[in-house]
Amino acid sequence: MNSRLSFFSEVEILAATAQKQLIHQKGVIIGISEEDGVIYGYGVLIHGREGLDFFEAKDLKPTGKQFKREDFY
C-alpha cells in the first residue's frame, strides 16, 4: 500500500494493525527497520505515549504532516 515512509513523517494507525488499541491514533516515524533495501517496519512515537511502537507499512497511512528532527532531539 505505502511506498517508503520517511523519518519524522506523521502517520495514522490503520485497522490492519495487530495493536487494535492504537487504531486511528497518530504518531511520528522515529525509526526505520531496513536491511539490504528491504523495509521490515517502522518505529512510531504515538502522540501522548512514551516509547516506540513497531508497525509494518500496511499498518500506517501518512497524514501529509512532516516534522523536523529538532522537534524530537
Side-chain angles (χ1 to χ4, degrees):
M1 176 180 182
N2 291 322
S3 58
R4 179 185 170 107
L5 298 167
S6 61
F7 281 104
F8 310 113
S9 294
E10 184 180 64
V11 292
E12 181 178 345
I13 311 308
L14 298 174
T17 185
Q19 300 179 65
K20 299 301 183 193
Q21 74 280 13
L22 298 177
I23 293 172
H24 300 300
Q25 293 199 34
K26 294 179 182 174
V28 178
I29 295 175
I30 300 295
I32 299 175
S33 176
E34 178 179 8
E35 186 174 332
D36 295 328
V38 176
I39 295 177
Y40 293 99
Y42 297 89
V44 177
L45 181 62
I46 304 293
H47 300 309
R49 286 175 54 100
E50 290 187 25
L52 292 182
D53 292 284
F54 183 81
F55 298 94
E56 295 179 38
K58 68 177 178 61
D59 300 337
L60 304 173
K61 175 178 81 172
T63 66
K65 187 171 184 180
Q66 182 71 37
F67 289 86
K68 297 178 183 167
R69 185 179 197 286
E70 302 84 59
D71 293 328
F72 300 94
Y73 298 105

